[in-house]
Amino acid sequence: MKKIAFILLCIAIPFFTKAQDINSKPKISVVGSGSVSVFPNAASITLQLNHVKPTLREAVNENQQTMKLIRQIVLRYVKDTTEIKTSLITTDKATRWDTKLSKEVFIGFRSTQKIIFTILDLDKIQDLTEELLRTKFQRIERISYFNTNFQEHYKKAEEFAVADALETTRRLAHYSNLQLGKILTLSSNKSPNDSNVRINTEEFETYGKGMGGRGVSSSGELIKYSVNVNLQTEILN
């Protein structure tokens, strides 16, 4: 046990020594910023079905028929079936407030379900939603726009951030008449493997469901990928 502790101590000492050495050196510390703005090229769409019928069987049957039609439409636009996810059907009693009786009254049985899918061609999103509006789903719960090349955008933003930090360091040194040495530390607040940036829309009620209607247009809103880096550079004089 003592031998293991001694070995760990021997390994740790160089790191502590190096950190202390960096901290003791005169240095310039700056923060560099970089960003890339792009349009989304894909969207995740969540639809909610909600059917109320006199009997539970009728509600479930109508739910299943609507979901079948929706899946047939979605499959014409989404080739990868793994991008289509369907929840289980949930059922419950449906009530509404009766102002005359001043209480909730039973109106039937409710059957609800959700389907989530990803469309990778936003040029077709309006055609897709126009077709979907002819079915009897209740609402578009969410449209989440994103860019599938987000890792490359993060990398480019990080490169801009490093360039900004280097330029700032050289400019400060020039105006302060300082001679720069080597870079001591460089760190980033982001990684290309971080989660993607998304633009979420508000939910969209389809009050005229089953009667067609205008589809949803692709998002014209830019997605911004931002990165900050911390740079420490040695001062020689």
Side-chain angles (χ1 to χ4, degrees), residues 1-16:
M1 188 68 182
K2 290 181 179 179
K3 185 177 181 181
I4 294 173
F6 177 74
I7 292 172
L8 291 174
L9 184 62
C10 290
I11 295 172
I13 285 174
F15 291 102
F16 290 131

Side-chain angles (χ1 to χ4, degrees), residues 193-224:
N193 295 320
D194 284 349
S195 58
N196 201 351
V197 178
R198 291 174 179 259
I199 300 172
N200 293 318
T201 66
E202 300 296 326
E203 65 181 37
F204 174 69
E205 296 282 350
T206 56
Y207 294 109
K209 57 183 180 293
M211 299 176 63
R214 219 170 142 262
V216 175
S217 299
S218 60
S219 171
E221 197 171 343
L222 285 168
I223 299 175
K224 189 174 183 179

Side-chain angles (χ1 to χ4, degrees), residues 101-187:
L101 299 174
S102 296
K103 67 176 183 179
E104 295 283 340
V105 295
F106 175 76
I107 59 172
F109 291 91
R110 176 181 287 109
S111 174
T112 61
Q113 193 174 18
K114 291 183 182 181
I115 179 170
I116 304 171
F117 56 90
T118 300
I119 179 168
L120 298 176
D121 185 355
L122 292 187
D123 290 336
K124 297 179 179 179
I125 194 169
Q126 185 162 347
D127 294 336
L128 167 64
T129 52
E130 283 178 358
E131 286 196 59
L132 290 172
L133 285 168
R134 299 188 188 104
T135 68
K136 295 180 180 180
F137 75 92
Q138 183 197 29
R139 65 182 178 180
I140 300 174
E141 186 177 281
R142 183 182 294 108
I143 302 179
S144 180
Y145 295 97
F146 61 97
N147 193 290
T148 55
N149 300 317
F150 70 96
Q151 290 179 318
E152 294 304 314
H153 301 316
Y154 267 133
K155 289 177 183 177
K156 182 58 67 175
E158 196 169 52
E159 291 173 10
F160 289 154
V162 171
D164 180 52
L166 291 170
E167 190 277 331
T168 301
T169 299
R170 286 192 289 265
R171 179 165 47 82
L172 292 175
H174 173 74
Y175 285 118
S176 303
N177 196 27
L178 297 174
Q179 184 179 355
L180 295 175
K182 62 182 180 180
I183 292 174
L184 299 175
T185 64
L186 176 62
S187 61

Side-chain angles (χ1 to χ4, degrees), residues 44-47 67 71 74 81-87 114-118 141-142:
S44 174
I45 302 175
T46 303
L47 303 182
M67 182 59 75
R71 285 188 65 88
V74 170
T81 56
T82 62
E83 295 292 339
I84 304 173
K85 299 175 178 61
T86 306
S87 71
K114 291 183 182 181
I115 179 170
I116 304 171
F117 56 90
T118 300
E141 186 177 281
R142 183 182 294 108

